[in-house]
Amino acid sequence: MKIEIAIVEDEPRLASVLQDYLERDNYSVTIWSDGSDALEAFREEVPDLILLDLMLPGTDGLSICKELRKTSNVPIIMLTARVEEIDRLLGLEIGADDYICKPYSPREVVARVKAVLRRTLPGHDQTGTEQLDSKMIINEESATVSVEGQSTSLTAVELKLLMALYQSPGRIYSREQLMKKIYDDNRIVSDRTIDSHVKKLRQKIEQLNPALEFIHSVYGLGYKYEPL
Ligand code: CA
């Protein structure tokens, strides 16, 4: 029996990225974009875990959580857009099992899902952990990236670039935003500098497996990372 995870999230792209990651780890995933629809459905059938966005059309995440807690101990992980919100939610003691702030890395979310399930669902094993994003693994300590077991080393700038893109899959970063992520000192570098760093980075990853493309340029806008 697959573990059922419900994602209540009104941003379709975020929801589908999480779905991809969770399904790759063998979870069964249902997505709800409207809070009231989700609550209605949970009254009929409670999933094994709920990833619950705070701001939602229909019923908001806070109300859903409170409502569910009247009748159920289903593990709930709240997703919020602001880190200050987490403090407020903790203070309200709404009974969520964990809180994750956006932007998050989908890998982090999967790890937190596993951690919560280990606590709350006896006998939950970790099958599929190896599958987790196995196409690309970034090792920050050694500044290396591996694709399907082959690895290459990155410069500090390339590592920062890759981490920035990787942590928000699908999000388009302008060159200026990437510059800010890479350099702490507000130095002025040209767009071409960013382009050449990205080019180097893509070449390095391409050498590992030419068939896999992770970093995409978006004409006129910038760059994004798409998980495979
Ligand atoms: Ca939202």
Side-chain angles (χ1 to χ4, degrees):
M1 273 285 281
K2 282 192 176 185
I3 292 170
E4 307 263 346
I5 296 180
I7 301 173
V8 192
E9 166 65 78
D10 57 321
E11 290 169 68
R13 217 169 53 182
L14 292 183
S16 78
V17 168
L18 283 185
Q19 180 179 29
D20 286 352
Y21 273 76
L22 289 164
E23 286 182 348
R24 237 184 280 171
D25 253 24
N26 221 18
Y27 295 107
S28 163
V29 177
T30 321
I31 295 174
W32 303 94
S33 56
D34 179 279
S36 303
D37 291 350
L39 190 54
E40 197 66 33
F42 299 156
R43 284 196 177 114
E44 296 286 313
E45 197 180 332
V46 186
D48 294 309
L49 184 143
I50 302 172
L51 285 165
L52 184 57
D53 186 27
L54 187 65
M55 302 291 280
L56 289 165
T59 310
D60 66 274
L62 188 64
S63 308
I64 293 175
C65 191
K66 280 194 197 154
E67 198 54 38
L68 286 171
R69 278 293 172 262
K70 290 179 188 169
T71 54
S72 164
N73 285 322
V74 56
I76 297 174
I77 300 179
M78 296 284 293
L79 307 169
T80 86
R82 290 191 305 141
V83 74
E84 311 90 78
E85 202 66 45
I86 293 178
D87 281 342
R88 190 175 76 88
L89 293 171
L90 284 170
L92 290 174
E93 293 180 351
I94 56 166
D97 295 85
D98 202 356
Y99 300 85
I100 299 177
C101 190
K102 297 178 184 180
Y104 46 69
S105 88
R107 292 184 66 191
E108 185 202 347
V109 176
V110 174
R112 305 273 278 267
V113 163
K114 286 177 190 291
V116 168
L117 286 173
R118 268 198 298 276
R119 285 207 308 267
T120 55
L121 202 67
H124 172 58
D125 62 11
Q126 290 184 66
T127 45
T129 318
E130 301 307 315
Q131 297 299 314
L132 178 62
D133 205 23
S134 60
K135 290 226 162 67
M136 183 196 278
I137 295 160
I138 304 170
N139 187 328
E140 283 187 81
E141 281 79 41
S142 63
T144 54
V145 59
S146 4
V147 175
E148 296 176 329
Q150 303 264 44
S151 66
T152 187
S153 56
L154 303 174
T155 64
V157 166
E158 288 160 0
L159 180 66
K160 280 187 188 174
L161 252 180
L162 182 58
M163 289 306 293
L165 293 165
Y166 178 84
Q167 278 166 353
S168 303
R171 173 174 167 184
I172 300 166
Y173 281 95
S174 69
R175 291 172 177 79
E176 197 186 329
Q177 287 170 327
L178 289 173
M179 251 176 250
K180 286 194 180 130
K181 294 260 178 197
I182 296 170
Y183 303 110
D184 310 324
D185 54 1
N186 292 325
R187 86 173 80 169
I188 309 291
V189 296
S190 76
D191 285 359
R192 286 189 21 221
T193 311
I194 293 294
D195 288 341
S196 75
H197 285 308
V198 172
K199 195 174 162 198
K200 279 295 287 212
L201 178 60
R202 290 167 86 176
Q203 280 170 352
K204 284 187 177 180
I205 296 170
E206 206 172 286
Q207 274 170 12
L208 300 174
N209 185 339
L212 302 179
E213 206 181 331
F214 296 92
I215 297 166
H216 303 262
S217 53
V218 184
Y219 184 75
L221 293 174
Y223 296 99
K224 65 173 179 175
Y225 165 84
E226 291 285 0
L228 292 166

